[in-house]
Amino acid sequence: AKDSLYSQDKMKQLLSLTFDEKQQAQEIEAAKAEYRSTVHTYIFIGLLAVLGAIALMLYRNNRQQQRANALLQRQRDEIHEQRTKAENALTELRATQTQLIQKEKMASLGELTAGIAHEIQNPLNFVNNFSEVSAELVGELKDELDRGDTAEAKAIADDLTQNLQKITHHGGRASAIVKGMLEHSRSSTGERQATDLNALADEYLRLAYHGLRAKDKTFNANLKTDFDPTLPKIELVSQDMGRVLLNLFNNAFYAVQQRQKQEPANYQPTVTVQTCYAQNQSDHRTVEIRVSDNGTGMPESVKAKIFQPFFTTKPTGEGTGLGLSLSYDIVTKGHGGMLTVESVEGEGTTFIVNFPA
């Protein structure tokens, strides 16, 4: 039994089994270590792949951001360039507008030249006549003083005083006309002043009428005025409002003149000017000016465009198309009012100006 249990062969077998187990255990540990190494390798490779993907994404985002920034910069440059061009165009447009407005003023002033001459001639005639009479009265006064007739001398002196007052009045009238035309020709200061609207309307009505008659001696028209005597002096820019009235009067006279050429001899051209107080839609008191004519009138298609810049129904060379447009801006923007038109084709037209009292 000892021999069978402790024989060398058995010992060898036991040692061999023990070695095999140890070797197998080592192989298992080696396999585990290799597996762990493989797993670590895969994890590292995976991390590298993730980092590479993240780097690629960041790179692509960076390139896209650079492209977007470059595009945005180009757009900013284009916008800046377009804005610069727009500002330059606006500056040129304003300069052109100023020139056109000045040309319109000078054109209207040119139309008034004959009317001014006529209006100034009337007071000058009075001044000349009263001056001649006064000179004769001075001679008579000397004669009466030489005779010692002091009563007659005082009577002549009273006549002289009246003549001098009339000379002063008509001289002031001529001076006012010249002053008004100088104000009309120069640029407006935009300062409002207390103005007698009735006197302003009456003055420009006659200036416009005589200006047209100077160009057409055969033209005659009835001038009707209905001024509200209770109307006080109103704060407005008299130069600008004078231009508005002048444009409205010129249009009215042009309309009746055109109809006179078409109608039979019994047609009587008539232009009517009215001033009064009125109520607007908000029940606020306003001053109203109505300029009416019995001229050609206008269709609805023309009424819709009548206040547009450069729109005109006059033949080429007879109108700039700026008169009513400028008048509309002066009334609405300059005085916070309204400028409207009522018209019946073939019967006549009425322009209505309203602005706060």
Side-chain angles (χ1 to χ4, degrees), residues 24-253:
Q24 187 175 6
Q26 289 176 353
E27 290 177 355
I28 291 171
E29 288 296 329
K32 288 181 178 180
E34 184 179 357
Y35 175 74
R36 285 196 296 270
S37 176
T38 302
V39 170
H40 289 161
T41 302
Y42 286 154
I43 291 174
F44 180 71
I45 293 173
L47 288 174
L48 287 177
V50 170
L51 290 175
I54 292 173
L56 181 62
M57 289 177 61
L58 291 174
Y59 175 75
R60 289 182 60 187
N61 289 339
N62 185 43
R63 290 296 301 274
Q64 290 178 355
Q65 186 68 30
Q66 289 178 352
R67 292 194 190 100
N69 290 337
L71 178 61
L72 182 61
Q73 186 61 41
R74 286 197 300 271
Q75 291 176 346
R76 286 176 179 173
D77 293 340
E78 291 176 0
I79 291 173
H80 179 71
E81 183 179 358
Q82 293 296 329
R83 184 173 63 184
T84 303
K85 290 181 179 179
E87 289 175 352
N88 293 335
L90 180 60
T91 302
E92 293 177 1
L93 180 62
R94 286 174 176 170
T96 304
Q97 183 183 27
T98 302
Q99 293 175 357
L100 289 173
I101 291 173
Q102 190 62 29
K103 287 182 180 179
E104 175 66 21
K105 292 177 183 177
M106 297 309 296
S108 62
L109 186 63
E111 292 178 356
L112 282 177
T113 303
I116 296 169
H118 183 277
E119 285 295 297
I120 292 178
Q121 190 61 47
N122 284 336
L124 287 180
N125 286 338
F126 280 108
V127 170
N128 292 333
N129 291 337
F130 284 116
S131 297
E132 292 175 2
V133 172
S134 297
E136 294 175 359
L137 289 175
V138 169
E140 294 178 6
L141 178 61
K142 290 180 179 179
D143 293 338
E144 296 300 331
L145 289 174
D146 290 340
R147 294 191 189 99
D149 190 348
T150 56
E152 185 64 24
K154 288 181 179 180
I156 294 173
D158 291 339
D159 292 339
L160 278 172
T161 302
Q162 293 178 3
N163 286 354
L164 291 174
Q165 290 175 348
K166 291 177 180 177
I167 290 172
T168 301
H169 170 74
H170 291 289
R173 168 65 178 157
S175 177
I177 293 172
V178 173
K179 181 180 178 182
M181 292 308 99
L182 289 176
E183 289 179 350
H184 180 84
S185 63
R186 69 168 61 100
S187 298
S188 173
T189 60
E191 295 181 1
R192 300 194 180 196
Q193 299 175 344
T195 304
D196 186 340
L197 189 60
N198 293 338
L200 187 71
D202 185 66
E203 180 178 339
Y204 275 92
L205 174 65
R206 301 186 187 286
L207 288 173
Y209 176 60
H210 292 304
L212 182 58
R213 287 202 70 233
K215 293 189 293 185
D216 184 2
K217 299 293 185 183
T218 63
F219 176 73
N220 286 289
N222 287 335
L223 306 183
K224 294 184 178 180
T225 57
D226 182 13
F227 297 141
D228 186 351
T230 65
L231 212 62
K233 288 189 175 182
I234 299 166
E235 294 289 331
L236 50 81
V237 185
S238 58
Q239 301 153 261
D240 292 346
M241 192 53 61
R243 294 185 184 112
V244 171
L245 293 173
L246 181 62
N247 283 322
L248 299 183
F249 295 151
N250 283 337
N251 282 334
F253 286 126

